[in-house]
Amino acid sequence: YDKERGSEEAIHHYNARLKVVYDIIENLPKPTIAMINGYCIGGGLNLATCSDFRIASSKSRFAMPAAKLALGYPFDAIRRLVNAVGPAAAKQMMFTAKSIDTEAALRLGLVQEVVEEDALVERVTEIADNIAGNAPLTIRAMKYIATQVMQADPSKRDLGRCDEMVAACFASSDYIEGRKAFMEKRKPEFTGS
């Protein structure tokens, strides 16, 4: 711990390395699911909030203990928590540094589902398979547009690219296949083109 955060230079280096990882996960063009089975605290909570949504086992616990450790948290980490649970709940978690159980996490919207530990992998796999069966261009467009909606600085939003991605969905063979499958009452076979 002292080696990674024992000096100002070490703290800066540590935070810069983590920021790269968190930014990559948050901005992946494909959907991400955090599968949480146990403690999700501090950096783990920040990592989980980088994901599009979170599924947890009933034994999981969540906390942002920085106030107990005199740690500073960067803007993006706090933005992610605020985006996940709202300003008041995020402030309560940060200011009190108390942990919450899965019932509270579900109520706050921090997690979207809670399942028993032995069903966690199966449920996350089921959700991932469901997403994978949907139209890839549409999923990619929705993911990108959602990240633009949550962009902290509205002037950095690329609304032109959002419009292009939506237009590409309507111009795709998948759009034709989706309508055809709907009319024929069958599962569509999307190709991503």
Side-chain angles (χ1 to χ4, degrees), residues 21-156:
V21 172
Y22 293 147
D23 288 350
I24 288 170
I25 293 169
E26 184 175 27
N27 294 300
L28 276 173
K30 295 185 179 186
T32 56
I33 306 168
M35 181 170 61
I36 303 161
N37 188 23
Y39 289 103
C40 187
I41 296 174
L45 179 61
N46 191 14
L47 180 62
T49 59
C50 291
S51 297
D52 294 312
F53 54 94
R54 293 151 295 281
I55 310 299
S57 74
S58 55
K59 76 175 193 177
S60 299
R61 305 276 305 169
F62 305 84
M64 180 61 74
K68 287 183 178 179
L69 303 168
L71 296 175
Y73 261 69
F75 176 86
D76 284 333
I78 293 172
R79 174 186 53 80
R80 288 181 193 107
L81 184 60
V82 168
N83 283 342
V85 300
K91 289 175 187 177
Q92 183 177 19
M93 286 182 73
M94 291 184 298
F95 299 167
T96 66
K98 293 188 181 218
S99 69
I100 60 172
D101 62 15
T102 53
E103 182 181 307
L106 184 61
R107 187 180 70 251
L108 294 174
L110 181 58
V111 298
Q112 285 58 58
E113 288 187 38
V114 176
V115 297
E116 292 304 315
E117 182 178 13
D118 61 352
L120 184 61
V121 172
E122 181 180 345
R123 179 61 182 140
V124 172
T125 302
E126 179 184 4
I127 293 168
D129 288 345
N130 177 271
I131 292 168
N134 289 327
L137 294 176
T138 300
I139 297 295
R140 190 176 303 124
M142 289 190 293
K143 168 76 185 244
Y144 181 79
I145 293 168
T147 62
Q148 296 303 295
V149 167
M150 294 178 2
Q151 174 64 255
D153 182 353
S155 70
K156 292 184 178 178

